Amino acid sequence: MRDDTMTASAKAAALAAFKDMAREPGVPKPDPILVVDKVVRRFGGLTAVDVDHVEVQRGSITALIGPNGAGKTTFFNQLTGFDTADAGAWTFNGRAMNGVPAHRVARSGMVRTFQLTKALSRLTVMENMRLGAQHQVGESFWHALLPPLWRKQEDEITERAEELLARFKLDAKRDDFAGSLSGGQRKLLEMARALMVRPELVMLDEPMAGVNPALTQSLLGHVKDLRQQGMTVLFVEHDMDMVRDISDWVIVMAQGMVIAEGPPSTIMSDERVIDAYLGAHHDAPLSESELEAQLHEAEAALEAEIEEETQK
Amino acid sequence: MDWLTILSTTVHAAIGWETVVYGLAAIGVNIHFGYTGLLNFGQAAFMAVAGYGLAVTVVVFNLPFVVGVLVGLAAAALLALLMGIPTLQLRADYLAIVTIAAAEIIRLVFRSVYFKDIFGGSDGRRGFNGDFYAMNFLYDPGRYGIGPFGFDERTMWLLTVGWAVVLLCCLVVFLLMRSPWGRVLKAIREDEDAVRALGKNVFAYKMQSLMLGGIIGCFGGFFYGLYNGSVQPDVFGTEMTFFAYTIVILGGAARVFGPVVGAMIFWVLFVFVGNLLAELVANGYIPFMTNIQVGPVRYALVGLGFILLLVARPQGIFGDKREIAIDAR
């Protein structure tokens, strides 16, 4: 019960921040953790990402949606240092992050997961978890040779990993190879491993892709839990039910640009979003002759109906 | 049929100088390939620069033996840097291409007429191991062994030092691979992007791995030169690298003692098949073969033996079958 009310309060706090916010792309947020300016990424002649300005509110769950090929994952890759942007700048907690290599981005507290889960197959679940911890003494070559230098820290890390595994219900799998887990369990492991880094901003690339429906609720609960613990979540997702269920704010991308922002309840009725997903003239006839043909068809149908009525 | 010679040479091979040299090369390859997933196809180059570093320092520059060893070690470390800086940022196959090419370039430079004054051309260099054997404080001249099995005092000294280095390297690998450092290496083997996303500097770890494996492999180069009393360029061909890979896979990749046991099996089989064939041909048991054909047929038979071994144990001697099963997914 208590947990429920606390989750509710974190959600309320997040929602309060978004109340009465304009629905324009790039709308300023009261307390942004991530601010992106004019990020461009081109692949040859194709402009995959061309984001003018966007902000992510601290302590919220923000969804990044858009039709296939909208550049969501590419945008993620720019922000996390896995790909180099051709132009643009972005700050995380006020610190410039453009051109920073991926491992430094992660160290600064901005941790991502991948669309195709990257469980480290031939490592055990526990080793996967331990790897996530930062500032490990035993990760330097010379210290590694002297176990007494890192044993104590390793025990602390293991303890923290065990708590997280218990929370994600993976504690029974502790000593199994990560490669032996199911798709959903791998997603859970990847998320738990990301939490070992102690991130401030968790970036999930399609957390629901390939997850068995039975695990969906549990995963959703874990994502909400992240906000509860004071983290900010930015996620890419196709599943609109999930977006409606857990996000506080939605950013919509199409053809590399941010085209709309808004609360999840109304964003899908936004004309710009419908246009992006279905095409601007999706309900309009294609040409004048077709319009005429449609009219004739309707007329003929009506006439037939009237005729049927009168014959009775 | 001289069964006694066949038996004694086979037993000697199990603990002999070849096993030491190739065992060390394989321990290095195991760090690269087995633990980190780096495809270094130029292990022979690390051994070559070490062997030549020692030989040239002692013979051409007349410097002490210890300086020669240090030069060899420095050359191996420098080679790792040179090959690693441009390629370790790229996809894994680039390292394979660059290392195999670099190894051949290095061999051809050592072989070239242009540098004959330094490296000695295709004859190589000799006469640099005197100081090493002068350091022998354990064995008086004579023969050490039981019955037909045994070595003279020089070989005993080389094998004692050699196996001490092998065991030391195994200890270092054992300590490193159960530490958080080794964990990062194994994680890089599985998926380096995941490791990057967790805040580890993948490039730095791959470089450390390349250097460590190269330096361990370079001890193999030293022992080769010290036993044979010479280094020639053509010894350090691609064959040497691929023998090391065979040994790692036979013993079981990513296992501490895999390369050592793999090297023993490799050389026992190699020497046994070779000597048995030679004896059989010499005594007329295989009338359709001549002595000259023994060499190539021996390679074919040894290869067949390894195939059969790996059919029976795809994970290698020490490997874990569950790991192979995961790979198959």
Side-chain angles (χ1 to χ4, degrees), chain A residues 107 131 133-134 136 139 154, chain B residues 181 183 198-200 205:
Chain A
R107 278 182 205 169
L131 186 72
Q134 299 298 297
Q136 293 192 45
E139 283 186 356
E154 184 88 343
Chain B
W181 187 84
R183 179 162 65 219
L198 294 172
K200 321 286 175 197
Y205 282 98

Side-chain angles (χ1 to χ4, degrees), chain B residues 118-159:
Chain B
I118 307 172
F119 300 122
S122 58
D123 295 335
R125 284 282 168 214
R126 56 175 58 254
F128 50 87
N129 62 356
D131 284 359
F132 174 74
Y133 289 107
M135 279 189 268
N136 179 355
F137 61 93
L138 282 173
Y139 306 101
D140 294 324
R143 194 166 179 285
Y144 296 82
I146 316 151
F149 313 115
F151 301 102
D152 63 14
E153 80 283 355
R154 283 167 69 91
T155 311
M156 281 302 281
W157 172 241
L158 182 105
L159 290 183

Side-chain angles (χ1 to χ4, degrees), chain B residues 5-40:
Chain B
T5 307
I6 296 175
L7 185 68
S8 65
T9 49
T10 305
V11 170
H12 289 164
I15 54 165
W17 70 273
E18 298 105 323
T19 306
V20 170
V21 167
Y22 282 84
L24 285 166
I27 292 173
V29 166
N30 195 30
I31 292 171
H32 295 152
F33 171 72
Y35 287 107
T36 324
L38 297 176
L39 274 177
N40 166 26

Side-chain angles (χ1 to χ4, degrees), chain A residues 101 103-104 107 139-141, chain B residues 36 38 80-81 84-85 87-89 181 184-185 188 192 195-196 199-212:
Chain A
H103 68 273
R104 293 241 187 83
R107 278 182 205 169
E139 283 186 356
S140 98
F141 180 83
Chain B
T36 324
L38 297 176
L81 274 177
I85 287 172
T87 54
L88 288 180
Q89 313 248 28
W181 187 84
V184 178
L185 248 53
I188 290 172
E192 57 177 83
V195 181
R196 260 186 212 114
K200 321 286 175 197
N201 186 349
V202 169
F203 176 74
Y205 282 98
K206 289 210 272 192
M207 185 56 93
Q208 288 172 14
S209 164
L210 191 65
M211 273 197 168
L212 177 68

Side-chain angles (χ1 to χ4, degrees), chain B residues 279-296:
Chain B
E279 280 292 319
L280 287 172
V281 168
N283 288 292
Y285 290 109
I286 313 177
F288 54 86
M289 253 175 78
T290 66
N291 246 329
I292 307 156
Q293 291 167 328
V294 166

